[in-house]
Amino acid sequence: MKKLISTILVLTFVLAALSALTPSISAKSATISEREARELVERAYQFFCDARVDDWDDNLVDYKSEDICEIYISHIDETLIYRPVDESKLPGGSYSAMREAAKEIYTEKIAELAYQFSGSSPGGVTHNLPMYHIAESGKVYGYGLQENSSHNLYIYTPSLQYNRSSEGEVQLSIISGDSKSATALITMSFYWADGPRSSFCEAVECKFEKTARGWRIAESEFSLLLSSSKTALDDYRKANPEKVNPEVLKLTDAEAKDTIDETVMDYMIEMYCGYYESYLDYVKHEQKEAQEIVKEITASDGSKRTMRYVEYLPNIGIDDIGWAYFTDEFYKMVLTQAYHDNSFDMFITEGDITYMAVIEGAEALSFVYDPNDVVVRVIESTDKEATAYVYCGLKKDGKVVPIYVECKFEKDERNSRWYIADSSFVDMLTSADEFEYTVAEAPKTGDAAYNTIALCLGGIAIIMSAICLVRRKREIL
């Protein structure tokens, strides 16, 4: 009887494990695989890099040539100037090869848009412009944004790249699919070269269709972005809210990780922890004397603490791009509270000099943050607010203890970007001692079905142990 019960329990859990695995296997086999999707996305991105005339550094177009073609574009009432193209630098090595290469990536409906440009005007109107012009002689000419920047068709044209995991993979997840079509989320990074702006990440919807020649990227936000700009994508979303996939409006793990990486590494460590060293280098270069003072201050718990302050110079200060990371509330907190204790002011003024509390390098921080090891998991998200766990390290008794800290995010409706909000993570960045954390190892990545199997097998082990224990007790009795 006992053997029969044991056998039934084992079979029950095995069937549960297989049922968890079967939908995953069937779903993946019935639609495009993540590997194939990633390959198409990689090829599309490389095509974007190689085929865009506005990539000024690759010498694709000879901007110095006097051999020009002036082409009137009626739907924008503009005459654009085209100059000779070095076809060998096009995808495939020629214009005709580039056109065929596009068909191997995109569906037939949108393949030609991959080597056009959709510019967005200040009024939000999108204009499709031909990037290339083929003369009667067969010679290829290209249009570059340098030539007609004054007509304001483009607010800006950001560069972009994929957000990658530590293994170098594109951050892509298939959220739905069947044998004919599929939808994935891709986390893109955007950055500019016109000033001190932070880069940022955003999820973009990418659709795939099964054609007679295999899977291809279909018309979607991803194809629009790679034929235009971030501005055009934003305009599209505003004009077509009913077409926006709700999942792209939520915070993804990759978006959260990117924001936190930049906040800690660029702002906290490089700018705040590195300020003292930068200040000393500056006064040495300017052949000036460093201005430092020492203050004895009463902490919030009544204890006395000696604090060092150094002259604050805005030109090498920490507030020039802080707005790019934090909500207004957090930003003000970072700029007013010294890291050592939240009851201390970061800035004090004596005479005509403003001083800033000194923290001598990242080694003075109570936490350890290595972007290569840190894991960030979003545990809940809407289109306006989100919460994530940040798995990092805590310095304690000469050792590094693995912990996670809760980090909250809020989306700014003005620019649809996520910013870090008041939370335990804020406390960690603004206080050496007072922040809430949980001792825990970072989660390992893996397939959910296999995690289910592990849970089932774990359940088998627990129940079998219980059966054996009951049996042993009965034998003893």
Side-chain angles (χ1 to χ4, degrees), residues 34-35 37-39 41-43 45-46 161-172 186-187 189 254 257 371-372 445:
E34 288 196 356
R35 178 188 61 78
R38 282 194 177 92
E39 288 178 355
V41 166
E42 289 276 15
R43 290 169 62 190
Y45 177 64
Q46 191 58 52
Q161 61 185 14
Y162 300 107
N163 188 280
R164 299 176 183 274
S165 66
S166 57
E167 292 77 25
E169 289 187 334
V170 171
Q171 292 294 284
L172 175 150
I186 303 171
T187 303
S189 292
K257 176 71 161 54
N372 296 316
T445 57

Side-chain angles (χ1 to χ4, degrees), residues 192-308:
W192 292 263
D194 62 348
R197 300 192 197 181
S198 166
S199 66
F200 70 99
C201 283
E202 185 170 84
V204 175
E205 182 186 60
C206 181
K207 294 183 178 180
F208 301 88
E209 287 183 10
K210 185 68 173 293
T211 71
R213 301 176 63 183
W215 285 97
R216 297 290 187 268
I217 294 173
E219 185 174 11
S220 54
E221 290 184 348
F222 181 74
S223 66
L224 170 65
L225 181 64
L226 264 64
S227 67
S228 58
S229 69
K230 180 64 168 62
T231 305
L233 176 60
D234 291 340
D235 290 341
Y236 169 81
R237 288 179 173 178
K238 291 177 182 177
N240 305 278
E242 74 286 351
K243 295 182 180 180
V244 178
N245 190 320
E247 293 301 314
V248 305
L249 303 178
K250 296 179 181 180
L251 181 67
T252 66
D253 290 348
E255 288 177 89
K257 176 71 161 54
D258 184 79
T259 300
I260 291 172
D261 279 354
E262 289 209 20
T263 302
V264 177
M265 302 308 295
D266 294 351
Y267 190 91
M268 186 71 189
I269 293 179
E270 182 177 346
M271 300 183 70
Y272 182 25
C273 296
Y275 175 79
Y276 183 62
E277 185 177 349
S278 297
Y279 172 76
L280 294 180
D281 289 341
Y282 175 81
V283 295
K284 181 179 179 181
H285 179 268
E286 297 296 319
Q287 297 182 344
K288 296 181 178 180
E289 183 178 351
Q291 301 291 325
E292 298 184 40
I293 58 175
V294 177
K295 304 285 288 187
E296 187 176 81
I297 302 176
T298 302
S300 56
D301 60 2
S303 63
K304 301 288 185 179
R305 181 173 290 181
T306 299
M307 294 281 290
R308 291 175 58 214

Side-chain angles (χ1 to χ4, degrees), residues 401-437:
V401 179
I403 65 170
Y404 74 75
V405 180
E406 185 179 84
C407 182
K408 292 187 179 295
F409 295 82
E410 293 178 5
K411 181 180 284 188
D412 191 325
E413 295 182 358
R414 295 170 296 181
N415 57 15
S416 298
R417 286 186 56 184
W418 290 97
Y419 293 86
I420 295 174
D422 193 15
S423 55
S424 296
F425 185 75
V426 172
D427 295 336
M428 185 178 79
L429 296 188
T430 58
S431 173
D433 306 308
E434 300 175 359
F435 63 93
E436 294 183 2
Y437 61 86

Side-chain angles (χ1 to χ4, degrees), residues 267-279 291-295 307-314 316-319 334-340 345-350 353-360:
Y267 190 91
M268 186 71 189
I269 293 179
E270 182 177 346
M271 300 183 70
Y272 182 25
C273 296
Y275 175 79
Y276 183 62
E277 185 177 349
S278 297
Y279 172 76
Q291 301 291 325
E292 298 184 40
I293 58 175
V294 177
K295 304 285 288 187
M307 294 281 290
R308 291 175 58 214
Y309 285 85
V310 65
E311 179 184 14
Y312 177 70
L313 301 177
I316 57 172
I318 66 170
D319 61 347
V334 171
L335 290 181
T336 57
Q337 296 177 347
Y339 170 77
H340 305 78
D345 292 330
M346 181 182 291
F347 298 100
I348 61 174
T349 300
E350 291 197 356
I353 300 178
T354 298
Y355 294 88
M356 182 178 121
V358 171
I359 179 169
E360 296 189 51

Side-chain angles (χ1 to χ4, degrees), residues 371-386:
N372 296 316
D373 297 329
V374 166
V375 174
V376 177
R377 288 288 181 266
V378 176
I379 59 172
E380 58 181 357
S381 178
T382 67
D383 60 341
K384 295 180 176 62
E385 298 178 338

